[in-house]
Amino acid sequence: MKKPLGIILVIGALVLGYLGYTKLDSGKAEIKIGDLEISASDKDTKQEAYIYFGLAAVALIAGLMISRGKA
């Protein structure tokens, strides 16, 4: 019973990582004109992305530990 739960947590970690990456990528904008580059980012979106990354890391570690029988 532990192995399927570990696999589900690892898959969930991958999904959370992807969501965090897309949220981080969508929260910024850039304009390039010749040598001039202007960029802006949304602070709240960046913070949400880092929360997703943190949750993904926790789920990945827990999933790997459960599937290996350490927990």
Side-chain angles (χ1 to χ4, degrees), residues 8-54:
I8 290 170
L9 282 172
V10 170
I11 292 171
L14 293 173
V15 170
L16 284 170
Y18 175 75
L19 289 174
Y21 176 75
T22 56
K23 190 161 276 281
L24 185 65
D25 195 40
S26 69
K28 58 184 173 182
E30 296 179 353
I31 298 174
K32 292 181 183 179
I33 303 172
D35 290 336
L36 179 65
E37 182 178 327
I38 301 172
S39 64
S41 63
D42 185 14
K43 195 173 189 179
D44 292 335
T45 304
K46 199 175 201 182
Q47 185 177 7
E48 288 178 24
Y50 289 140
I51 290 171
Y52 278 123
F53 287 142

Side-chain angles (χ1 to χ4, degrees), residues 56-71:
V58 170
L60 181 64
I61 292 169
L64 290 175
M65 289 182 70
I66 288 173
S67 67
R68 290 184 177 201
K70 305 275 182 178

